[in-house]
Amino acid sequence: MNVKFKLLSTGVLFFLGSATLFAQENGNIKKDTLVKDIEEVVVVGLKSTTKKQAVISTAKIESEKINNRPNANLMNIAQGQLAGVNISTGTGQPGSKPTVIIRGFSTINGNTDPLYVIDGFPTNADSFRSLNSNDVESMEVLKDASATAMYGNRGANGVIVIKTKGGGFGAKTTFNYRSQIGVSTLQNNRYNMADARQLLTLEKRASAGKGVTMSDADIANFNINTDWLNFYFNPSLLQGHDFAITTGGANLSSYTNVGYLEQQGILSTTGLKRFSLRTNVNGKSNDGKFTYRVGVYAGLSRNNQASNLGTGGVNQNLIIGGLRGAPYISPDQYRPNGAISANLVNTPLFLMDKERTYKSAVDDLRLDLTSEANYKITDELTATMRANAQLLTLDGNAYQRPEAWNSVYFKQPTQTWVGFETNTNSRQFNFNNVYQLDYNKKIGEHTFDVLAGYEYNNYMIKNTSMTQNGLNPKVWVPGTGTGYPAFVAGDNFNVPNVSGAQSRLNMYSYFANLDYDYNTTYGFVANVRRDATSRFSKDNRWGTFWSVGARWNINEENFMENVNWVNILKLRGSYGTAGNQRIVDGTIFAGLNPKAYLDSYITGSNSYAGTQALGIALGYPDLHWETTKQWNAGLDFELFSRKLRGTFDVYEKKGVEIFYAWPQSYLIGTGAVNMNSPIDLKNNGIEVNLAYDVIRNSNLKLTLRGNGAMNKERVYNLPSEPLISGEIPQQYSVNGQLFEAPYVYHYLGVNQANGNLLFEDANGNPTETPGTADLKPLKYGFNPRFQGGFGFDLDYKGLFVNTTFTYVANVYRYDYDLASVMDPTNLGTFNVSADLLNAWTPTNTNTNIPSLKAENLSYDGLSDRFLKDGSYLRLRNVQVGYNVPKSLISNTFINSISITLQAENLVTWSKWKGFDAESNIGSDQGRYPSPKTYTLGFDIKF
């Protein structure tokens, strides 16, 4: 695809957020507009090339699919738009980090995040909530070895390259104001929860709870019916504003954007506010030999968070209170200052109190400085230097007030003060420096491009935490340090807790790249990279990673001259390796302290005569890199005057020498040592990406697009076969099959004779008491076999409609929320599903609901009764908008106006009964659902 750039005659600079515009001379730019045809550029690591000459497997989305979407995290916007990239949010909490998996897992215990490169600066997704998606020009995913090997020690999980916006040389000054307002609502579940009268009826039948003491008439006349979901979840508002200035002169151009986003959470006590400022400046010398780029970004966010979601006791998790709170309890029964009966049926009242007396917030400041300088030493030799720095600071404050129910109820007899406040501080500094030389030589039909360089990365973090146990309610003010009473002798409950930690990681790299082209028809690429990390010992610090790739531009052959319907037809392939040094999941600092290759000592008190004891955790001296090996074969095509465009890829990706707790003889003092194991984790897959312009003329354009990926995972060289892990539930692994497949009894239904649960035994017969021999592994696991997205783009005389559907298939997840509401032992304490009204009784035997007093309910924990198909199809985003005709604004200062109405997560089709079929984990219980969001946006340029 050709892109036309228009060079205009005037420009000004808006520099580094300054309020002053500096006029700039026009130089030698002609008054007449110049038009140049420039081939589409793709990123291939630490340099760029044309799409025609690239040998890599890549997926790319442009700014029009990214900007002005109502998501605080950039990666949520990309969902369903990138073949082979599985993005799942897992939570609707504003600013949360999604899980991004590219072509399956190549590690077991290690980090699976891809490397994110923003304007040449390698970074991570830990602070994406402070990044403004409206600044993004394009996002490109590098997937195969030829693309990722240039990043060596950080490319094992794939690379996502993000380019932010900039001005163009010789472009006139433009102003752009974007605004969006919206509302988010809770998605519905299909648990069929009981109302108050139904719950009282069930309690009476089960002889448990309030309903036991009530007659049928009392129940029929009972008129309290609280919808606790509506109490805790409410429609929330969203607003966003961006003001950008783009300008360019003969030798200097800039882009500056100031943004503000406020997104309330649908769950009370949650929300995100973000302020951002970005300025990108590009410049060049008069002779064009020297070019440079400087970028500054500042993002400040405040994230109010709900705690203990997915885990925690019933007195801590607000989701549990909303879903399972007994509807015959009224909010009017709430009493402050801990004056609520500790009966668990009052759980929603406990959580009402937590809403009022517990707060948690994190302030996140992100400062990025990116820079690049290029000097053309000769026409063939170019030197490049990049220096990038990032400062991340997190300031957290969480407190539980002294009058909180949780403070009063759990106060100990000898405790003087109650309540607590925790202040946490984290300061992280990242630095990246690259020096490289690029030599390009053309000899007849032969073109050689040789690149060599050196890279240094430094990561430093310092954390402190202080918890004051016990607060004086008369003088305590949150976050100020006041109201901290002095230590009371004999009161060990009010001792403050303090902690501190710091870590540092250094990485050094040497790299080289050879890119050869013959007559734009044949191409060959080779990469080699030598990496060192301070994570491993000196003897194992260095790793070498490499790749080779080739392409054949079939459409450039002489025999294709008369094949006019083929515009691009390119066959490509690659093979290579990449390294993973993040062998422990978590942030980039996880697993640094203590060093995993050293023995470490742990203090304890279980020793003779009460003296301090030392326990030892054995390290693995030979700890070294995990390595990912990958081959890829692909086909790129553009046909019928580029009306039909697409890519097709087949790949194999294998992680070797995977970090794992390998079994050991207990004679050495432990049953396992974390080490590079013989385990191999292999993924084979197919990816397809297609787009077709059904109609394309001056008034109407209709494009259909879609992508899909299939990935099959297998594991080899396990320490035992089969390898059974977990307790309830269990997972099953065997060589040549899926790693950690669900290992379950198959649930058959209800024994019509007595109401007990029935399961399938090893011989296919029903049984009420299954044993270990009756457990069976399933074919699919907790990661989808198939995933992708599709949609259409329609543009008719300024009216446009865009849709994106996403889907995943062949994936299982445990629905523990469903298990809870179907558990009759919860009657008398929590709400349950009204489906239990159809439970088996001697007079109601034709039912699929077990008896409320079934004797073998405990067996369903190891069964597939609540292991559900998590496949779904979702209308992820739909936009309807209008570009106001220029004839209506021709006599004004406005260049263009567009109005857009859009919806996120509008409709979901799935067998999953919970709030949200989408998840990044294998089980669901008490988690924050992602909401439906409706927004109205305006985009004005002048």
Side-chain angles (χ1 to χ4, degrees):
M1 181 186 299
N2 290 331
V3 181
K4 293 184 177 180
F5 285 88
K6 295 184 177 180
L7 303 181
L8 302 177
S9 58
T10 60
V12 293
L13 169 65
F14 188 84
F15 184 65
L16 297 181
S18 171
T20 305
L21 294 175
F22 296 91
Q24 191 176 325
E25 295 182 2
N26 295 332
N28 296 323
I29 298 177
K30 296 180 180 180
K31 292 182 180 180
D32 297 332
T33 299
L34 301 175
V35 178
K36 294 184 178 181
D37 288 343
I38 302 176
E39 288 198 58
E40 185 175 350
V41 174
V42 296
V43 177
V44 292
L46 297 173
K47 66 174 187 176
S48 300
T49 188
T50 64
K51 185 176 181 180
K52 180 186 296 185
Q53 293 182 312
V55 304
I56 66 172
S57 174
T58 181
K60 187 175 183 179
I61 52 177
E62 304 287 354
S63 59
E64 62 267 17
K65 301 295 183 185
I66 300 172
N67 298 165
N68 239 29
R69 290 275 298 274
N71 288 277
N73 195 294
L74 172 64
M75 292 312 302
N76 289 337
I77 298 171
Q79 190 181 51
Q81 301 189 61
L82 301 165
V85 183
N86 183 29
I87 302 173
S88 52
T89 58
T91 174
Q93 189 149 264
S96 60
K97 172 186 171 183
T99 298
V100 180
I101 304 297
I102 300 175
R103 292 184 167 181
F105 295 110
S106 56
T107 183
I108 293 176
N109 295 313
N111 184 267
T112 59
D113 289 343
L115 172 69
Y116 295 88
V117 180
I118 303 176
D119 292 335
F121 185 15
T123 182
N124 55 64
D126 295 332
S127 189
F128 261 43
R129 62 172 170 253
S130 60
L131 188 65
N132 189 345
S133 61
N134 284 329
D135 289 332
V136 175
E137 179 68 32
S138 65
M139 181 189 300
E140 191 167 357
V141 180
L142 311 182
K143 296 181 284 187
D144 68 355
S146 184
T148 61
M150 194 175 288
Y151 290 101
N153 60 20
R154 294 157 301 162
N157 298 319
V159 181
I160 296 179
V161 179
I162 298 169
K163 179 183 178 183
T164 62
K165 296 175 181 177
F169 295 119
K172 66 179 182 181
T173 301
T174 60
F175 301 86
N176 187 189
Y177 172 67
R178 282 192 171 111
S179 177
Q180 59 176 329
I181 55 174
V183 62
S184 297
T185 62
L186 178 67
Q187 297 188 68
N188 295 324
N189 69 74
R190 292 181 288 139
Y191 292 144
N192 189 26
M193 297 301 293
D195 61 26
R197 294 173 183 174
Q198 290 172 324
L199 179 59
L200 291 168
T201 300
L202 283 166
E203 289 183 347
K204 184 175 183 178
R205 293 180 183 180
S207 302
K210 182 182 182 76
V212 175
T213 62
M214 301 177 68
S215 66
D216 291 342
D218 292 336
I219 293 174
N221 293 323
F222 194 84
N223 55 14
I224 296 175
N225 189 34
T226 305
D227 187 339
W228 287 106
L229 278 178
N230 283 339
F231 183 88
Y232 287 109
F233 289 92
N234 296 284
S236 62
L237 299 179
L238 173 149
Q239 63 170 320
H241 306 276
D242 285 88
F243 183 74
I245 301 177
T246 306
T247 187
N251 299 325
L252 204 60
S253 68
S254 74
Y255 163 86
T256 298
N257 184 48
V258 179
Y260 176 75
L261 175 71
E262 182 174 353
Q263 184 176 6
Q264 298 174 2
I266 56 173
L267 180 65
S268 59
T269 74
T270 65
L272 174 71
K273 294 180 180 179
R274 181 182 70 206
F275 171 82
S276 63
L277 169 66
R278 178 178 296 278
T279 293
N280 291 334
V281 176
N282 293 277
K284 63 179 180 178
S285 60
N286 287 330
D287 59 7
K289 287 188 175 182
F290 177 67
T291 61
Y292 62 90
R293 173 186 54 80
V294 177
V296 176
Y297 178 79
L300 175 63
S301 66
R302 169 161 290 182
N303 199 194
N304 293 314
Q305 303 170 331
S307 65
N308 299 101
L309 301 187
T311 59
V314 295
N315 60 320
Q316 298 288 348
N317 189 330
L318 296 178
I319 311 292
I320 292 178
L323 177 64
R324 296 165 56 191
Y328 54 69
I329 299 294
S330 169
D332 294 338
Q333 296 174 241
Y334 171 76
R335 298 292 181 268
N337 302 314
I340 304 171
S341 168
N343 191 324
L344 284 179
V345 76
N346 289 324
T347 291
L349 304 179
F350 304 158
L351 295 170
M352 279 182 65
D353 187 84
K354 183 179 179 180
E355 276 188 310
R356 292 157 171 76
T357 60
Y358 178 90
K359 300 294 180 185
S360 176
V362 176
D363 290 343
D364 182 342
L365 174 64
R366 174 177 179 150
L367 297 174
D368 289 358
L369 174 64
T370 60
S371 65
E372 179 178 320
N374 301 277
Y375 184 72
K376 209 172 184 65
I377 301 172
T378 69
D379 290 341
E380 298 165 344
L381 182 64
T382 302
T384 299
M385 188 276 289
R386 296 187 185 95
N388 306 298
Q390 180 181 76
L391 176 66
L392 300 173
T393 65
L394 299 176
D395 293 306
N397 176 256
Y399 61 82
Q400 180 175 289
R401 303 183 68 90
E403 70 272 18
W405 185 88
N406 283 315
S407 298
V408 175
Y409 179 75
F410 292 103
K411 181 181 180 181
Q412 300 300 308
T414 59
Q415 191 170 352
T416 307
W417 305 100
V418 293
F420 68 84
E421 180 174 38
T422 299
N423 292 304
T424 57
N425 303 96
S426 173
R427 184 174 70 248
Q428 179 179 340
F429 179 74
N430 305 329
F431 179 73
N432 167 258
N433 196 196
V434 179
Y435 298 92
Q436 68 186 51
L437 287 173
D438 193 345
Y439 179 77
N440 186 279
K441 181 70 173 179
K442 186 174 178 64
I443 305 174
E445 302 294 342
H446 305 273
T447 302
F448 300 87
D449 192 315
V450 180
L451 180 149
Y454 164 80
E455 181 175 7
Y456 169 67
N457 287 278
N458 171 251
Y459 303 87
M460 295 184 292
I461 192 170
K462 187 174 184 178
N463 299 312
T464 58
S465 176
M466 187 281 292
T467 298
Q468 169 63 36
N469 293 304
L471 305 170
N472 185 337
K474 295 181 179 180
V475 292
W476 172 70
V477 179
T480 64
T482 61
Y484 291 1
F487 174 70
V488 177
D491 184 356
N492 294 326
F493 297 98
N494 293 136
V495 178
N497 295 327
V498 296
S499 65
Q502 59 181 343
S503 295
R504 178 170 180 164
L505 176 67
N506 291 315
M507 293 187 290
Y508 305 86
S509 307
Y510 300 93
F511 57 89
N513 167 264
L514 170 64
D515 195 334
Y516 167 76
D517 173 74
Y518 175 72
N519 196 27
T520 70
T521 305
Y522 308 102
F524 172 80
V525 175
N527 296 289
V528 63
R529 183 166 174 128
R530 182 80 169 151
D531 285 306
T533 173
S534 60
R535 188 180 299 273
F536 306 132
S537 68
K538 293 181 179 180
D539 295 334
N540 297 296
R541 187 160 292 171
W542 289 92
T544 302
F545 310 101
W546 57 272
S547 73
V548 292
R551 61 173 168 80
W552 176 26
N553 296 80
I554 303 172
N555 59 290
E556 296 290 332
E557 296 284 3
N558 292 332
F559 61 77
M560 296 292 291
E561 283 186 6
N562 297 322
V563 185
N564 298 324
W565 55 275
V566 175
N567 305 105
I568 292 178
L569 186 62
K570 180 174 67 176
L571 186 65
R572 50 182 167 74
S574 65
Y575 179 81
T577 65
N580 179 31
Q581 53 98 22
R582 296 179 64 178
I583 55 176
V584 177
D585 196 14
T587 72
I588 197 168
F589 301 101
L592 283 176
N593 294 322
K595 302 286 188 182
Y597 62 86
L598 297 174
D599 298 338
S600 58
Y601 294 92
I602 305 169
T603 60
S605 59
N606 185 18
S607 59
Y608 178 74
T611 58
Q612 188 178 74
L614 289 178
I616 187 171
L618 297 179
Y620 181 60
D622 194 37
L623 186 68
H624 55 273
W625 300 85
E626 292 183 342
T627 301
T628 298
K629 302 177 178 179
Q630 185 175 188
W631 63 258
N632 187 97
L635 182 71
D636 298 341
F637 56 88
E638 294 185 4
L639 312 175
F640 311 114
S641 300
R642 295 185 170 88
K643 291 183 68 175
L644 177 62
R645 307 171 294 279
T647 62
F648 177 80
D649 284 274
V650 180
Y651 67 86
E652 180 177 279
K653 175 182 174 183
K654 182 169 70 172
V656 301
E657 298 186 296
I658 290 176
F659 189 63
Y660 187 78
W662 196 257
Q664 305 291 320
S665 169
Y666 277 101
L667 292 175
I668 68 171
T670 183
V673 170
N674 289 310
M675 59 181 287
N676 293 98
S677 71
I679 295 176
D680 296 344
L681 197 60
K682 183 186 292 186
N683 292 271
N684 289 85
I686 299 172
E687 298 170 353
V688 179
N689 190 77
L690 294 171
Y692 180 64
D693 297 332
V694 179
I695 304 172
R696 188 174 64 189
N697 57 50
S698 58
N699 292 324
L700 177 63
K701 183 177 180 181
L702 174 62
T703 302
L704 303 180
R705 51 182 164 76
N707 68 81
M710 183 279 291
N711 185 78
K712 183 177 181 181
E713 177 189 280
R714 287 165 291 171
V715 67
Y716 298 92
N717 303 322
L718 293 166
S720 61
E721 190 175 15
L723 176 65
I724 310 299
S725 56
E727 295 182 0
I728 299 176
Q730 290 186 330
Q731 292 83 41
Y732 178 95
S733 304
V734 65
N735 289 318
Q737 300 295 327
L738 180 69
F739 181 68
E740 291 190 343
Y743 193 44
V744 292
Y745 308 129
H746 178 49
Y747 175 66
L748 295 176
V750 178
N751 187 337
Q752 304 300 326
N754 58 15
N756 286 338
L757 290 72
L758 286 178
F759 305 91
E760 184 179 71
D761 69 13
N763 299 316
N765 300 314
T767 178
E768 292 185 5
T769 55
T772 301
D774 303 319
L775 291 165
K776 299 180 179 68
L778 299 186
K779 185 177 180 180
Y780 305 113
F782 305 116
N783 300 302
R785 175 71 61 88
F786 300 95
Q787 64 88 20
F790 60 89
F792 69 83
D793 304 314
L794 173 68
D795 193 332
Y796 176 67
K797 294 184 177 181
L799 177 67
F800 58 90
V801 180
N802 305 312
T803 64
T804 297
F805 292 81
T806 61
Y807 65 88
V808 301
N810 291 3
V811 59
Y812 284 109
R813 291 167 53 210
Y814 283 98
D815 191 346
Y816 289 128
D817 281 327
L818 177 61
S820 296
V821 302
M822 292 296 294
D823 185 354
T825 63
N826 281 327
L827 287 168
T829 303
F830 300 108
N831 197 12
V832 296
S833 172
D835 292 348
L836 292 183
L837 289 168
N838 192 33
W840 182 95
T841 66
T843 59
N844 181 39
T845 60
N846 187 23
T847 177
N848 60 351
I849 306 296
S851 168
L852 298 181
K853 299 180 180 180
E855 298 174 352
N856 62 344
L857 276 173
S858 60
Y859 284 97
D860 66 9
L862 280 173
S863 79
D864 61 1
R865 183 184 178 195
F866 299 110
L867 180 65
K868 299 299 180 180
D869 186 348
S871 305
Y872 68 85
L873 169 63
R874 167 172 286 174
L875 180 50
R876 186 72 168 90
N877 177 263
V878 58
Q879 297 181 347
V880 179
Y882 184 63
N883 293 312
V884 176
K886 291 187 179 296
S887 60
L888 297 180
I889 55 176
S890 59
N891 295 323
T892 70
F893 67 95
I894 297 175
N895 296 329
S896 66
I897 301 177
S898 66
I899 304 170
T900 305
L901 180 65
Q902 65 178 318
E904 298 264 329
N905 303 330
L906 188 59
V907 185
T908 303
W909 296 269
S910 178
K911 295 179 181 178
W912 186 261
K913 290 187 175 183
F915 296 102
D916 195 357
E918 179 185 333
S919 180
N920 56 358
I921 60 173
S923 62
D924 209 50
Q925 183 175 32
R927 294 178 66 83
Y928 199 134
S930 59
K932 295 181 180 180
T933 303
Y934 308 87
T935 57
L936 174 65
F938 301 89
D939 191 336
I940 305 172
K941 295 180 181 178
F942 51 94

